[in-house]
Amino acid sequence: MDPYKNALTQLNSVVSVLGTDYEDQKAFDRTVKILQRPQKLIVKELAVKGKKYKAFRSQHNDALGPFKGGIRFHPNVSREEVMALSMWMSWKCSLMGLPYGGGKGGIVIDPKTLTPKELENLSKKYADSFAAHFGPWIDVPAPDVNTDGRIMAWMLEAYEKKIGQHAPATFTGKPLSLGGSLGREEATGQGGAFVLESYAKAKKLKPSKVYIAVQGFGNVGYWFSLLAQKMGYKIVLVSDSSGGVYDPKGLTISKIKTAKDTYGSLLEVSKKLALKFINPEDVVATKCDVLVPAALENAITKDNAKTVKAMAILELANGPTTPEAEEILTKKGIEIIPDILGNGGGVTVSYFEWVQNLHGSRWELERVNTELKQVMNNAFNEVYKVVRAKKTTYRKAAYLIAVKRVIDAMILRGRI
Ligand code: NAD
């Protein structure tokens, strides 16, 4: 499954509706054609101590502002994956109302196979090699799967060394002592929890009656589960790549996290805490009200979509539902809150971090969360308005808003 093809299908699905808003059809068509591909795709081979690693940065579109997006370290990173992820970033930043375009990068590597020193060397090599393409007003990377604040610190160091000056606003998701923002670590999960809150309010659902299954127990899955539980929702399942632990009455997330940190995998946690274990391939079929994919793309495909029992899917991973699966789910009446809305909290707090760095200031956690809540609520309400007015899906509504803003910026700039 090629995520770039999925991203193109999603873009193309709103083109005919959007086209009716534009008088100059030729300009519109040309803009869409430009948006179907990244503006720039940089591919490099990084040589570190005799070993070679393939590395990418895809810069999709910067009509709304500098490129913005994470750097992923994973064996499955590919040209198509970064191209798709950078396109989704353009729509996400646009939907959230942030002054950014979309970017994404990655290295083909399983970081678990590296020593800490090798990881540091590789991270620094990446930032050094791509330095000419980065900068606070050019392209602002951040963590993604298997990368974190420690890696951003190494990248910042290598980048600043190369350009000969401090430039903390070039990377977000940094450790607090190097200009990171309070609330960034939990931002994506927190943003997802705010979206869940808005959705439950719109649907008149009582939190204590909403049962949730979460696939992925990394940064996003863990924080979302913890914060949603604090809001009163019942988390019946959390899973990692080893499988899931399940309790129909609701899990205590802090307890699961401590056990996972101690025993390594949720498979081990299920044995140690005597919890029901669910195989990884059965996670999406869990009996629940809201299914939350928070791991990787292509989690819900045409092969398992029929097994989904939830009434709604809140996408916190990027691209977890394929277009074919979405068709099946939509026919079943299952609502999908798309990734570009569900996980927009991460890039929003990255934006707050960038603003703080550019000002040389620091925000209190309360300010970060108050402003994050406002951005997430606004985005949800805008999407919900279009869902109701056009009787369409949440993804189409979100795309109609987000893609239009980018097209308008392209036309205003006279880039066509
Ligand atoms: P992470 O590396 O911290 O966690 C990933 C988790 O997914 C791990 O628990 C891993 O075990 C689990 N996983 C992998 N394969 C699985 C499988 N087959 N079944 C169940 N679990 C599986 O990564 P993260 O930062 O939490 O990112 C997760 C997703 O959220 C990615 O799609 C990422 O692009 C997206 N996202 C992350 C952020 C962020 O701020 N971290 C922001 C926006 C979107």
Side-chain angles (χ1 to χ4, degrees), residues 72 85 92 104 143-146 184 188 215-221 239-242 260 280 294-297 316-318 343 346-347:
R72 180 177 286 202
L85 288 162
K92 189 184 306 178
K104 204 72 164 201
D144 192 75
V145 174
N146 290 330
R184 174 62 187 92
T188 308
Q215 182 196 48
F217 201 57
N219 171 288
V220 177
S239 74
D240 63 12
S241 45
S242 73
K260 167 141 169 139
L296 293 172
E297 52 265 27
L316 295 192
N318 285 308
N343 68 29
V347 70

Side-chain angles (χ1 to χ4, degrees), residues 184-203:
R184 174 62 187 92
E185 199 202 320
E186 62 270 37
T188 308
Q190 177 71 79
F194 287 144
V195 171
L196 174 69
E197 204 180 25
S198 297
Y199 179 75
K201 213 165 136 191
K203 296 272 153 183

Side-chain angles (χ1 to χ4, degrees), residues 174-411:
K174 301 181 295 296
L176 275 178
S177 56
L178 294 179
S181 177
L182 287 167
R184 174 62 187 92
E185 199 202 320
E186 62 270 37
T188 308
Q190 177 71 79
F194 287 144
V195 171
L196 174 69
E197 204 180 25
S198 297
Y199 179 75
K201 213 165 136 191
K203 296 272 153 183
K204 300 194 171 47
L205 303 172
K206 210 170 149 202
S208 60
K209 297 255 166 67
V210 179
Y211 292 77
I212 300 175
V214 183
Q215 182 196 48
F217 201 57
N219 171 288
V220 177
Y222 161 64
W223 281 107
F224 169 79
S225 307
L226 186 78
L227 297 167
Q229 183 180 55
K230 278 193 182 155
M231 289 172 171
Y233 296 90
K234 292 265 192 315
I235 312 293
V236 292
L237 173 137
V238 294
S239 74
D240 63 12
S241 45
S242 73
V245 287
Y246 175 76
D247 183 342
K249 292 198 208 80
L251 300 159
T252 305
I253 298 305
S254 55
K255 211 167 128 188
I256 305 290
K257 169 74 169 145
T258 308
K260 167 141 169 139
D261 289 345
T262 310
Y263 306 119
S265 71
L266 292 177
L267 173 62
E268 286 307 309
V269 171
S270 74
K271 291 178 196 158
K272 297 287 199 280
L273 301 189
L275 284 164
K276 187 171 174 190
F277 179 71
I278 307 285
N279 286 318
E281 61 276 14
D282 297 329
V283 164
V284 304
T286 304
K287 191 166 176 280
C288 61
D289 301 304
V290 182
L291 175 65
V292 182
L296 293 172
E297 52 265 27
N298 297 332
I300 308 169
T301 66
K302 64 176 174 13
D303 301 323
N304 62 11
K306 284 195 192 85
T307 69
V308 173
K309 296 180 186 69
M311 59 166 251
I313 293 173
L314 170 59
E315 293 185 339
L316 295 192
N318 285 308
T321 314
T322 66
E324 295 86 357
E326 178 148 11
E327 228 180 286
I328 298 168
L329 295 163
T330 305
K331 270 191 197 140
K332 280 177 72 169
I334 298 171
E335 295 191 311
I336 305 171
I337 302 176
D339 45 8
I340 62 169
L341 174 60
N343 68 29
V347 70
T348 301
V349 177
S350 270
Y351 162 69
F352 297 160
E353 181 177 336
W354 179 79
V355 169
Q356 290 170 72
N357 295 156
L358 291 174
H359 284 196
S361 65
R362 276 204 179 278
W363 294 9
E364 299 294 333
L365 181 60
E366 202 191 330
R367 176 170 177 196
V368 171
N369 282 333
T370 307
E371 299 216 10
L372 174 63
K373 188 169 180 168
Q374 202 172 347
V375 171
M376 300 311 294
N377 285 353
N378 286 349
F380 180 87
N381 290 337
E382 280 175 328
V383 171
Y384 193 57
K385 219 163 123 184
V386 177
V387 166
R388 293 211 296 185
K390 294 206 184 287
K391 299 210 182 333
T392 188
T393 65
Y394 286 77
R395 188 176 328 270
K396 282 223 173 105
Y399 268 62
L400 287 171
I401 297 166
V403 178
K404 181 168 172 36
R405 286 179 186 158
V406 179
I407 292 177
D408 289 348
M410 293 281 286
I411 292 172

